[in-house]
Amino acid sequence: MSGNILYMHLPVMPDEVMDLLRPEPGDIAVDGTVGLGGHARLLGEAVGPDGHLICFDRDPEALQRARQRLEDVPCETDFINSPYEAMDHEVPGLGIQSVDRILLDLGVSSLQLDKPERGFSFMRDGPLDMRMNQGEGQSAADIVNSWPETQLKELFSRLGEERFSGRIAKRIVEERVLRPIETTTALAELAEAAVPFRGKIHPATRIFQALRMEVNDELGTLARGLAAAGRLLSPGGRLAVLTFHSLEDRLVKRTFLRWRDLGAAQLVNAKAVSCGRDEAAANRRARSAKLRVVERIEGA
């Protein structure tokens, strides 16, 4: 499997991202979530030999694979193992005070989803981990096996928008008294036992989503990352964000509108852009994606 992951990787809405972000030759561009490098390659080719591409990822394995994938891009490149929220601290360390283009693709990469040992998906059995960087922070298993029932219920409701959050939390607490819940399959089976699988969405889907977002503090990282991007972006520069969850999209939308109302930026697209039918059919991970782009106003 791992030998084919780079081949299988499909960046989401590549044409729409490039059309709205509009990178130009000589630009300094930041890919804040490089993943396996699909969008980064397009950025690197667009900015060309006189440009500079700076790639961030908190997952060291993803960053190493992106480095390999992008060896032949025509521009100068830097790779930084750090969450994108630190970009306004890390980029100046390269002698760069502002950048022209920033892309944040908030989707989980194929590398993470397709490797059972990372614990992001219940489609394959593996340890219940879900950390983007496995060297830091608490795992999903830590949360599932230690948080009180009321706290688990609130988490599944808030970040997973799961209407049966109470039933699933109760089942988890009952089970962990007997034995620790340590694998993706064990948690998925508990969710299905609490809420029988009758529709298209497996009962574990929203639970896994909520745990992943909590483990990696995804909404907090996004809020801080947007602020960092705003500070780093040069006048006339553009920031594009691809979201895959309503809470993420709501946060991006409200932030961009606030910048507009303050006179600091203008919306490049008034409404979020979604993928077309052909891409939705070819890449199921693109179906929930929404793209928003903002441009910093000169002199703001």
Side-chain angles (χ1 to χ4, degrees):
M1 174 66 73
S2 61
N4 294 325
I5 284 176
L6 292 183
Y7 176 79
M8 293 164 57
H9 176 60
L10 295 173
V12 171
M13 285 195 272
D15 295 338
E16 293 88 343
V17 167
M18 296 300 288
D19 286 346
L20 293 175
L21 194 56
R22 201 178 297 169
E24 299 176 352
D27 276 351
I28 300 173
V30 169
D31 188 330
T33 49
V34 68
L36 293 176
H39 289 114
R41 170 168 293 281
L42 299 175
L43 287 171
E45 291 170 350
V47 303
D50 296 325
H52 192 156
L53 176 63
I54 306 166
C55 300
F56 284 82
D57 207 292
R58 66 195 298 181
D59 184 335
E61 183 179 2
L63 197 69
Q64 180 58 33
R65 287 180 177 267
R67 188 190 297 270
Q68 295 169 0
R69 182 183 176 93
L70 300 171
E71 283 180 339
D72 59 343
V73 293
C75 63
E76 181 179 355
T77 57
D78 281 289
F79 297 87
I80 300 175
N81 183 201
S82 176
Y84 61 86
E85 66 182 286
M87 70 174 76
D88 61 332
H89 298 293
E90 296 284 355
V91 171
L94 302 174
I96 297 169
Q97 301 307 313
S98 64
V99 304
D100 305 296
R101 300 291 184 269
I102 300 174
L103 171 64
L104 303 178
D105 175 0
L106 306 183
V108 182
S109 78
S110 301
L111 173 65
Q112 293 155 345
L113 285 171
D114 294 340
K115 297 191 74 172
E117 60 267 34
R118 299 302 300 273
F120 282 94
S121 172
F122 55 85
M123 300 304 292
R124 301 176 181 85
D125 191 35
L128 196 57
D129 194 318
M130 301 193 195
R131 289 172 295 174
M132 299 288 187
N133 185 335
Q134 292 183 297
E136 61 183 32
Q138 63 181 346
S139 69
D142 293 331
I143 293 175
V144 165
N145 288 292
S146 66
W147 280 25
E149 181 180 334
T150 55
Q151 199 171 350
L152 288 173
K153 175 184 176 182
E154 189 275 335
L155 170 65
F156 299 154
S157 176
R158 174 171 51 87
L159 294 184
E161 299 178 301
E162 171 56 64
R163 65 184 180 124
F164 296 111
S165 59
R167 288 166 60 174
I168 297 174
K170 184 174 186 294
R171 191 62 179 249
I172 287 171
V173 171
E174 290 173 346
E175 177 67 19
R176 76 189 190 194
V177 171
L178 305 175
R179 62 187 66 82
I181 303 164
E182 297 177 335
T183 68
T184 55
T185 298
L187 180 58
E189 289 175 349
L190 284 174
E192 189 169 0
V195 185
F197 189 12
R198 296 192 181 95
K200 295 180 179 179
I201 300 177
H202 192 282
T205 301
R206 296 187 177 97
I207 301 308
F208 271 67
Q209 172 185 282
L211 285 166
R212 190 203 76 223
M213 293 179 73
E214 177 65 27
V215 164
N216 298 290
D217 187 22
E218 293 182 24
L219 290 181
T221 297
L222 176 57
R224 295 186 293 271
L226 291 173
R231 290 190 290 267
L232 191 61
L233 201 61
S234 62
R238 292 190 173 189
L239 164 63
V241 186
L242 274 166
T243 63
F244 295 80
H245 185 280
S246 61
L247 295 177
E248 293 172 340
D249 181 59
R250 195 176 308 150
L251 177 55
V252 174
K253 178 181 179 180
R254 288 175 177 173
T255 299
F256 284 4
L257 288 174
R258 185 172 71 252
W259 290 353
R260 183 201 63 184
D261 294 343
L262 291 171
Q266 60 184 0
L267 305 180
V268 174
N269 53 319
K271 294 183 178 181
V273 174
S274 300
C275 73
R277 288 184 180 180
D278 290 345
E279 182 175 7
N283 182 8
R284 63 182 178 82
R285 292 174 184 166
R287 295 173 189 173
S288 60
K290 293 186 182 299
L291 172 65
R292 296 185 187 273
V293 184
V294 72
E295 179 178 312
R296 182 172 176 183
I297 291 177
E298 297 278 352

